[in-house]
Amino acid sequence: MRFDLKRSLFVSLAALGFIAAAGTVNAQTASAKTYAHVISNEKMTTLPQNRNVNFTGSNALYNKAGTLKGAKVVASRTTLNKIKNSQSSTNNVRAYQVAVTNRGSVYYKVVTYDGAYRGWIYGGKSVASIAGGVTQYTTFKNQGLSTLTAAQQSATYKIANPGTANNGTTVTYKQPAWTQYKVGRAITDSTPYASSIFKIDQVGTRTRENDQWVHIYDVNNANSPANGWILMSGLTQAQAPVADNAIQINLVDPSNNSTIVKSVTITRSGATKGTNFGYYSNGGWTISQSDLASIQNQIRAALSGTNYSLDSLTTAQIAQIAQTNFGSSTNLVANKIATIADNAVRINLVKPDGTILKYTDWSKSGVAKGSNVGFSASGNTLWSLYSGDQSSMESQINSALSGTNFQLNTNSNTLNSTQMDAIARGTYGGQVYINVVPVSNATSPIVPRLVGASQALKGTDSASLTAPVTVAGPDGKATAINGTPADKVTTADVLGVITAYAAYTGKTAQDGVNAVNTAFKTAAKTQYLNTNVNLNGYTGASGASFGTFDIGGYISNQPNLKFLKSPSFNSYSYTPNSDPTKQGTVDTSTDNSISFVFLYGDNGKFGSPVNVYYYTLD
């Protein structure tokens, strides 16, 4: 509700002939020892709703024009700055008189809607432009009906709590409360209209509170005195005839079951009037899981923004719904929720099975109870959150979800557009519901390592050692066994190494045997049997940290990981020939193996490989 203050001034001053051709009031030089005097003082003649203003905080408010003799401060700039930024419409301001001094200064006489402050304030040097201590102000922002959901637009309503309270939710107003000066209630008692059925034809928000007001009209009486503005939160959907293929669930106040808080309608295609909604099974009445989930979601949506909840249905309530006949209604008692601060919204976190995981109350200073948490962005059917609020909410929600194995969205800890819409439509002092999802698990592949070794152990499904074997000769040079797979080493290869050692000065045949056996054992310490060994079983919340005790506890409870075993490998012995001119014989043992025993694991994060370390008993 905006006005053209410039036009108002032109109209007021032109009548007295004080408007120059250029529309300005020329300043006149005054003596330093003289005071200004008023040459024009008239009531403003434009429509009242076009004279709403707000303070800028740059000038104080006086009991008369500030440059007149005897002018005293009524309200300082500090006070006017507070009124300027107030979030209460009682601090809206109306301009109703304009004066011009001989020095060419324009002053407006203004009053706050609550009457707390009244006086004159400097308004600049020209009626052609607004300046100084006031500025044009819109006290109420009209919005299109598209701000409401299709269901809200088509629904019929009753006043939720008829009575005489002047609180925005009980009676109706000629204009949204405190948005026009001295324009008050349409009715002072809504009790006679408790049964009246209304629809919504206008919607908007008060600028200071950002609370949602709607204009309602009686569908049966176009001239009803009750037609007017009321807070959206002051309405409840009216009871309409229940369709033959539907049931209606009325959610009633626990202390007064005749007071319907909200209603939900459940429709089933092809249902016959008079038949039961549910069925009898195993000695009791029940409904399908899909119906249960659907009903629970509709109940939560209906109670969102109220001081009631019904987060889970009892067996008795489910049986009650099951026995309800199509074409009729049933009452369920809603629960009064724990007190929510007037400047907070309760955000309920809903698991995929429909149950409430937990809730968190997010608060914001300076907001009014009943005002919307967010706003309806132009051209967008989804509501939005104010700048800065989203990150604050996400931080608080993520803190609440910590350790629960749930998160806001798959692979994301941020609110999506649907979640933001649900929160933004909520009101301070009420509650909303948003879905959360299980934290996606990630695997940390286990990497076995031998303590002190630079390379990881390699798994094999071969029962025999296949790792490469290298045996240096007595002179340090390569022999026939040089990177040869263990299962490819022949007796002749071994005999060749032994013979070379026996022929080398200072070495013996046994030195050759020892060199071969040591090489095989060294190769065996690089390989393990991976039969029945699961290296991909250590999982947890993606990105979550784990410590050495965590991985240690896991490995210790996995016998096939706590102990590993190498494939079998050969060991050799040598028997010299009694004829020193001939070669001796080589005997082979094939049942040798090495055991690996878990020692410790590294710290890490789920989703990344983790090194675990083993030692050998050989």
Side-chain angles (χ1 to χ4, degrees):
M1 296 177 181
R2 185 180 176 90
F3 80 101
D4 191 336
L5 189 57
K6 292 181 288 185
R7 182 177 179 184
S8 172
L9 292 175
F10 274 118
V11 173
S12 299
L13 297 179
L16 296 176
F18 290 111
I19 305 297
T24 62
V25 179
N26 296 318
Q28 298 180 15
T29 305
S31 168
K33 296 183 178 181
T34 62
Y35 292 97
H37 62 270
V38 173
I39 61 175
S40 166
N41 187 352
E42 290 292 326
K43 289 185 177 180
M44 299 174 72
T45 59
T46 53
L47 293 173
Q49 61 267 29
N50 293 337
R51 291 187 270 112
N52 291 323
V53 296
N54 195 14
F55 297 120
T56 64
S58 61
N59 296 86
L61 187 69
Y62 293 85
N63 63 333
K64 58 177 71 175
T67 54
L68 300 183
K69 185 177 182 179
K72 295 180 179 179
V73 173
V74 173
S76 67
R77 288 185 297 173
T78 299
T79 298
L80 298 190
N81 261 311
K82 291 179 180 178
I83 295 175
K84 166 191 170 183
N85 297 316
S86 168
Q87 292 185 322
S88 172
S89 289
T90 59
N91 285 315
N92 283 329
V93 185
R94 170 64 55 82
Y96 63 94
Q97 196 146 340
V98 60
V100 180
T101 71
N102 63 313
R103 296 177 182 176
S105 296
V106 178
Y107 284 86
Y108 307 109
K109 193 169 189 181
V110 299
V111 61
T112 56
Y113 277 23
D114 60 3
Y117 295 95
R118 184 188 299 269
W120 292 85
I121 191 163
Y122 176 68
K125 287 285 188 178
S126 171
V127 296
S129 60
I130 301 169
V134 288
T135 184
Q136 292 178 338
Y137 191 67
T138 301
T139 61
F140 184 78
K141 299 174 183 177
N142 283 291
Q143 300 171 316
L145 281 175
S146 59
T147 303
L148 304 177
T149 65
Q152 288 173 322
Q153 293 177 46
S154 61
T156 55
Y157 299 88
K158 287 185 176 182
I159 296 175
N161 296 296
T164 60
N166 185 12
N167 58 8
T169 62
T170 304
V171 296
T172 55
Y173 298 76
K174 296 175 184 178
Q175 295 290 339
W178 300 99
T179 60
Q180 293 301 329
Y181 185 58
K182 289 190 175 180
V183 177
R185 290 165 286 181
I187 55 174
T188 57
D189 185 358
S190 59
T191 305
Y193 307 96
S195 300
S196 297
I197 305 299
F198 300 93
K199 289 199 73 172
I200 297 172
D201 61 358
Q202 296 181 62
V203 62
T205 57
R206 291 192 296 183
T207 304
R208 292 186 186 272
E209 291 88 349
N210 192 46
D211 50 3
Q212 189 176 49
W213 286 72
V214 292
H215 186 272
I216 59 174
Y217 65 93
D218 190 327
V219 297
N220 298 311
N221 181 6
N223 298 314
S224 171
N227 294 347
W229 290 89
I230 191 170
L231 279 166
M232 183 67 176
S233 57
L235 300 178
T236 183
Q237 288 197 14
Q239 293 283 349
V242 182
D244 291 349
N245 66 334
I247 66 168
Q248 183 167 288
I249 300 173
N250 300 317
L251 306 168
V252 299
D253 185 276
S255 58
N256 183 1
N257 291 175
S258 63
T259 300
I260 297 175
V261 180
K262 294 287 182 179
S263 296
V264 296
T265 300
I266 316 298
T267 303
R268 181 180 294 163
S269 178
T272 302
K273 183 176 182 178
T275 59
N276 295 116
F277 180 82
Y279 54 92
Y280 191 82
S281 176
N282 296 323
W285 285 89
T286 189
I287 60 178
S288 69
Q289 286 299 310
S290 59
D291 281 340
L292 177 60
S294 175
I295 291 171
Q296 189 69 78
N297 286 335
Q298 290 187 63
I299 289 175
R300 288 188 183 127
L303 293 176
S304 179
T306 72
N307 290 322
Y308 298 84
S309 70
L310 191 55
D311 293 333
S312 59
L313 295 174
T314 65
T315 302
Q317 289 170 324
I318 293 172
Q320 182 179 335
I321 295 171
Q323 294 176 78
T324 303
N325 293 332
F326 282 101
S328 66
S329 63
T330 188
N331 291 351
L332 295 183
V333 176
N335 303 315
K336 277 280 192 178
I337 61 176
T339 301
I340 302 174
D342 291 349
N343 68 331
V345 60
R346 178 160 297 165
I347 303 173
N348 293 284
L349 308 174
V350 185
K351 296 191 294 185
D353 63 3
T355 59
I356 302 298
L357 173 67
K358 63 191 313 184
Y359 68 80
T360 182
D361 288 353
W362 184 82
S363 61
K364 184 177 182 179
S365 61
V367 296
K369 182 178 182 179
S371 61
N372 289 107
V373 178
F375 62 95
S376 174
S378 176
N380 195 337
T381 58
L382 295 177
W383 282 42
S384 302
L385 296 172
Y386 289 102
S387 176
D389 289 353
Q390 179 182 347
S391 59
S392 174
M393 287 181 190
E394 288 172 345
S395 176
Q396 185 167 321
I397 293 171
N398 288 326
S399 177
L401 289 172
S402 178
T404 66
N405 287 324
F406 285 86
Q407 61 187 33
L408 277 170
N409 289 291
T410 304
N411 299 322
S412 170
N413 289 319
T414 58
L415 292 164
N416 61 32
S417 58
T418 301
Q419 292 166 326
M420 285 191 283
D421 177 71
I423 297 173
R425 289 178 184 270
T427 57
Y428 288 104
Q431 59 180 335
V432 296
Y433 296 83
I434 63 170
N435 293 325
V436 294
V437 298
V439 172
S440 54
N441 278 351
T443 298
S444 283
I446 291 172
V447 181
R449 290 180 175 274
L450 187 65
V451 173
S454 60
Q455 299 295 321
L457 295 172
K458 294 182 178 180
T460 179
D461 56 5
S462 172
S464 299
L465 186 67
T466 59
V469 178
T470 296
V471 182
D475 56 0
K477 296 180 180 180
T479 66
I481 306 175
N482 185 27
T484 308
D487 59 341
K488 302 299 183 183
V489 175
T490 66
T491 302
D493 294 333
V494 174
L495 187 57
V497 171
I498 294 173
T499 301
Y501 269 83
Y504 197 83
T505 303
K507 298 291 184 181
T508 64
Q510 188 58 47
D511 291 333
V513 172
N514 293 340
V516 171
N517 287 339
T518 299
F520 267 82
K521 182 176 288 188
T522 299
K525 291 182 179 180
T526 67
Q527 207 169 41
Y528 67 94
L529 286 171
N530 59 16
T531 304
N532 297 323
V533 174
N534 180 15
L535 300 179
N536 295 306
Y538 191 49
T539 62
S542 181
S545 299
F546 57 82
T548 184
F549 289 107
D550 299 317
I551 184 65
Y554 172 77
I555 297 289
S556 296
N557 288 314
Q558 306 294 321
N560 290 336
L561 283 173
K562 186 176 182 180
F563 302 100
L564 299 178
K565 187 178 181 180
S566 75
S568 61
F569 61 90
N570 295 342
S571 65
Y572 300 92
S573 60
Y574 177 73
T575 304
N577 195 300
S578 57
D579 184 349
T581 62
K582 296 180 180 180
Q583 286 185 327
T585 58
V586 174
D587 294 314
T588 304
S589 171
T590 61
D591 59 353
N592 304 286
S593 65
I594 290 177
S595 294
F596 301 95
V597 181
F598 171 73
L599 184 59
Y600 70 94
D602 284 343
N603 300 325
K605 291 186 176 181
F606 287 108
S608 300
V610 54
N611 293 321
V612 296
Y613 298 90
Y614 294 81
Y615 67 94
T616 67
L617 297 175
D618 301 272

